[in-house]
Amino acid sequence: MMLSEKSKPRGFTLIELLVVIAIIAILASILFPVFARARENARRTSCISNLKQMGLATMQYTQDYDEGLPVALYGVPTTYAYPDGQAWQSGILYWPQMIYPYHKSSQVFYCPSSPDPNLTNPRRLNYGANEVVITYNTVASTTPLKVAAIISPASTYMMMDASDIRINPLHAIAVNAPYYMPGLGEAGGSCPTTINNYSDCRGGRHFGGVSVVFADGHVKWLKSSVLRRESQKTGDSLRGAWNPQIDNSGS
């Protein structure tokens, strides 16, 4: 028995298939950027959380050390028992290890948007301390900056997304490999090929910017161009929000 014309199965025509494919392509072009932005928003939130924990840990540290902030590093005996159980570099205790007992999470040292998790770097860190605040020194200890000496803690940079464990105003102007501010390229600086494995030098980590924890412990996302502009303030060699010992509240 032959099927009648009405009962014969009917497939899609070529035109119908092309229309469906075109609609799917249009929807994909609209939704993929939305999904990518949502994912990066989640990563930025995670990064802000990391810095918030480090900021609060630093505040707790100062309460135990006579209102003194950590310094960048101290020389310690090679047999020293490191707080996080890791010798980032033999005979040296770095500032993140000093505040580790107050948050007790190694995960806060990693930014999910960093192109290099620093797993091969003994100083495994995706954040840098403003070395004007967390006083940079050699292996010899340096007198720490006191909290009371910070004139405008709510507007002074303390820690932020960075290429290495420390950062200063000059790193927001030009690369001093491996030190630079993420987003330096789009903010007006140049990113040489010598650091091309760090793709965040040009575009930043979070929508062309970085997350910053201020000296009072609060965290904020800022465009990299804002930090660069602050680094270019040179009155008496003082550099805006990078300098803890001036009134930079108007920055």
Side-chain angles (χ1 to χ4, degrees):
M1 176 179 170
M2 297 185 62
L3 295 172
S4 66
E5 288 295 323
K6 291 184 179 180
S7 62
K8 284 183 179 180
R10 180 176 179 275
F12 289 107
T13 66
L14 178 60
I15 293 177
E16 288 172 332
L17 286 173
L18 290 175
V19 169
V20 171
I21 291 171
I23 292 172
I24 293 173
I26 292 170
L27 290 174
S29 66
I30 294 171
L31 294 177
F32 283 172
V34 173
F35 292 151
R37 187 171 184 86
R39 182 178 63 178
E40 183 51 42
N41 264 321
R43 289 177 173 175
R44 179 172 61 175
T45 299
S46 177
C47 177
I48 288 174
S49 175
N50 289 345
L51 283 167
K52 183 67 174 177
Q53 290 184 66
M54 285 194 282
L56 291 174
T58 302
M59 297 299 99
Q60 291 176 290
Y61 176 98
T62 63
Q63 293 173 15
D64 287 343
Y65 289 89
D66 194 28
E67 296 297 302
L69 290 156
V71 297
L73 53 90
Y74 278 122
V76 295
T78 55
T79 56
Y80 182 78
Y82 291 90
D84 61 343
Q86 301 289 329
W88 291 17
Q89 189 168 342
S90 180
I92 296 178
L93 178 68
Y94 287 96
W95 67 262
Q97 295 172 295
M98 297 176 201
I99 64 173
Y100 176 86
Y102 300 93
H103 59 70
K104 296 184 179 179
S105 172
S106 297
Q107 291 304 310
V108 304
F109 298 146
Y110 303 100
C111 172
S113 291
S114 173
D116 179 7
N118 268 332
L119 295 178
T120 59
N121 189 324
R123 299 171 295 188
R124 302 176 300 275
L125 194 70
N126 297 146
Y127 302 104
N130 176 5
E131 63 184 58
V132 188
V133 175
I134 307 298
T135 315
Y136 183 75
N137 57 336
T138 59
V139 177
S141 61
T142 294
T143 302
L145 181 70
K146 297 288 187 178
V147 172
I150 303 176
I151 305 301
S152 305
S155 54
T156 298
Y157 306 148
M158 183 167 66
M159 301 164 189
M160 66 190 71
D161 283 303
S163 64
D164 211 287
I165 198 166
R166 63 187 179 95
I167 187 169
N168 66 37
L170 296 179
H171 299 151
I173 297 176
V175 170
N176 179 13
Y179 306 108
Y180 64 85
M181 175 189 68
L184 175 64
E186 290 187 0
S190 61
C191 297
T193 56
T194 53
I195 56 167
N196 59 9
N197 57 317
Y198 297 98
S199 58
D200 60 342
C201 179
R202 174 157 299 281
R205 288 190 186 160
H206 311 289
F207 307 113
V210 295
S211 301
V212 181
V213 57
F214 290 79
D216 67 346
H218 86 277
V219 184
K220 187 177 182 180
W221 174 85
L222 295 172
K223 291 285 288 184
S224 297
S225 56
V226 172
L227 280 78
R228 178 175 168 83
R229 185 173 65 245
E230 289 297 305
S231 72
Q232 293 173 312
K233 294 180 178 179
T234 56
D236 296 326
S237 298
L238 305 177
R239 298 182 183 272
W242 292 85
N243 195 307
Q245 295 181 300
I246 62 171
D247 182 0
N248 54 43
S249 56
S251 296

